[in-house]
Amino acid sequence: MSDFTSDFWHLFVAGVTVISILACAFFLWASGKTRVMPAADNTTGHVWDGDLREWNNPLPRWWVYLFIITVVFALGYGLLYPMLGSSPGALKWSSHEQWASERAKALAAVEPLYAKFRGTDPKDLAKDANAMAVGERLYMNYCAQCHGSDARGSKSFPNLTDNDWLGGDGGPDYIKTTITQGRVGVMPPMAAAVGTPEDVRNLAHYVLSLSGSPHDAVRASQGQAKWGACAACHGPDGKGMHATGAPNLTDQIWLHGWGEEAIIRGINQGYNNVMPAQNALLTADQIHVLTGYVWKLSHAQ
């Protein structure tokens, strides 16, 4: 994609913009200089469909002046604002700087609100109705798009209410780190390490047996011999490991779908889940309050 970010495109955009504006100015000038000798009935002599004639009625002067004002305005705008390629314009204005300025003002306005919660343990914030009201709004704005408005998630998006945490213990420190830095969950494709497609299917039934799910006992017994390819991450007993972020396969929680075909697809294709870091959007104080809210979701009792 480097060819789309080179300096050529800035010059291309600037050139097309300037040529378009100058072309408008030229055509306005040319049309003003052009004189058509009308016929006796004040038509230009152009006839369509036998009886449709073009009248020789030029644009009203005020209309022409509006076109001229438009051209002058475009030239002035291009000099003041970033319209001509990469040129920032005489005013050095940018949408990003305006956003940053407005964001800074908004954060300054709410700073006293967050100052009340600063330094309070997230578990104590979970007992504060005001803090939780703020946390809920932060959650709805920044988290609900993936985890759902009820925080129960959906396929490939974790449920935040069940206290099942893949990469840590689910404590405030882990939650705050995850919100701040994001998280990447990767399971590599394992089909080559398992063997044939039949071996993969047998292993899928063994995985189903770990959670007591309906399965083919014969296939499961054959698939157990292939479990070694999975035990390095999920553990010998299939209960998963926080250190590797590998899920517990003995419970009834299935992040990427349940059933034989879903497990086979995971073994063959692997997974690559990404939760983006939120520290570019949220301040440390906002993350602190949001941490208390998310922690409370799985500790409602």
Side-chain angles (χ1 to χ4, degrees):
M1 295 294 290
S2 60
D3 53 335
F4 287 97
T5 58
S6 68
D7 289 338
F8 163 77
W9 293 106
H10 296 296
L11 297 175
F12 175 80
V13 171
V16 170
T17 303
V18 171
I19 290 174
S20 299
I21 294 174
L22 294 180
C24 289
F26 170 77
F27 287 124
L28 279 172
W29 174 82
S31 63
K33 292 294 184 180
T34 302
R35 295 290 182 269
V36 177
M37 296 302 295
D41 58 357
N42 197 36
T43 63
T44 63
H46 298 158
V47 181
W48 295 270
D49 298 330
D51 59 354
L52 183 61
R53 301 176 183 277
E54 179 183 6
W55 287 87
N56 182 35
N57 289 332
L59 286 174
R61 284 293 179 183
W62 65 267
W63 201 334
V64 175
Y65 293 150
L66 285 179
F67 280 122
I68 295 174
I69 291 173
T70 300
V71 171
V72 174
F73 176 84
L75 292 173
Y77 185 94
L79 293 175
L80 297 175
Y81 292 96
M83 183 182 77
L84 303 177
S86 60
S87 171
L91 299 180
K92 309 297 183 183
W93 177 90
S94 75
S95 58
H96 175 76
E97 290 183 1
Q98 180 173 339
W99 169 82
S101 175
E102 293 177 358
R103 180 174 185 268
K105 292 178 182 178
L107 291 177
V110 299
E111 198 279 335
L113 171 65
Y114 289 102
K116 297 188 299 182
F117 310 129
R118 193 179 301 150
T120 304
D121 188 281
K123 293 182 180 180
D124 293 328
L125 287 178
K127 304 173 186 177
D128 187 321
N130 291 331
M132 291 301 92
V134 175
E136 181 181 18
R137 285 162 176 76
L138 290 172
Y139 175 87
M140 296 302 292
N141 284 331
Y142 297 98
C143 312
Q145 293 84 350
C146 293
H147 295 283
S149 58
D150 59 358
R152 295 185 180 277
S154 60
K155 186 177 179 180
S156 299
F157 297 97
N159 182 349
L160 301 181
T161 68
D162 59 8
N163 207 24
D164 181 71
W165 302 88
L166 296 181
D169 59 1
D173 290 340
Y174 171 71
I175 294 173
K176 180 176 290 188
T177 299
T178 303
I179 295 173
T180 303
Q181 302 177 3
R183 185 175 180 277
V184 178
V186 177
M187 172 182 164
M190 299 299 296
V194 172
T196 66
E198 279 300 298
D199 291 330
V200 171
R201 189 169 296 278
N202 292 338
L203 178 58
H205 280 272
Y206 177 72
V207 172
L208 286 170
S209 73
L210 293 174
S211 60
S213 300
H215 62 280
D216 185 317
V218 175
R219 283 188 175 276
S221 63
Q222 295 172 345
Q224 185 174 6
K226 299 295 182 178
W227 175 250
C230 311
C233 291
H234 294 280
D237 56 2
K239 292 186 178 297
M241 290 188 288
H242 285 158
T244 61
N248 180 358
L249 301 179
T250 68
D251 57 22
Q252 297 297 324
I253 299 174
W254 301 88
L255 179 59
H256 299 289
W258 174 86
E260 177 185 345
E261 294 305 321
I263 297 174
I264 290 175
R265 183 168 58 252
I267 296 173
N268 287 333
Q269 301 176 8
Y271 298 107
N272 189 359
N273 267 26
V274 177
M275 173 183 165
Q278 300 296 311
N279 57 355
L281 299 174
L282 300 172
T283 66
D285 288 337
Q286 289 174 323
I287 291 175
H288 183 66
V289 174
L290 183 57
T291 295
Y293 180 79
V294 173
W295 181 85
K296 184 181 181 181
L297 289 173
S298 58
H299 296 79
Q301 66 274 19

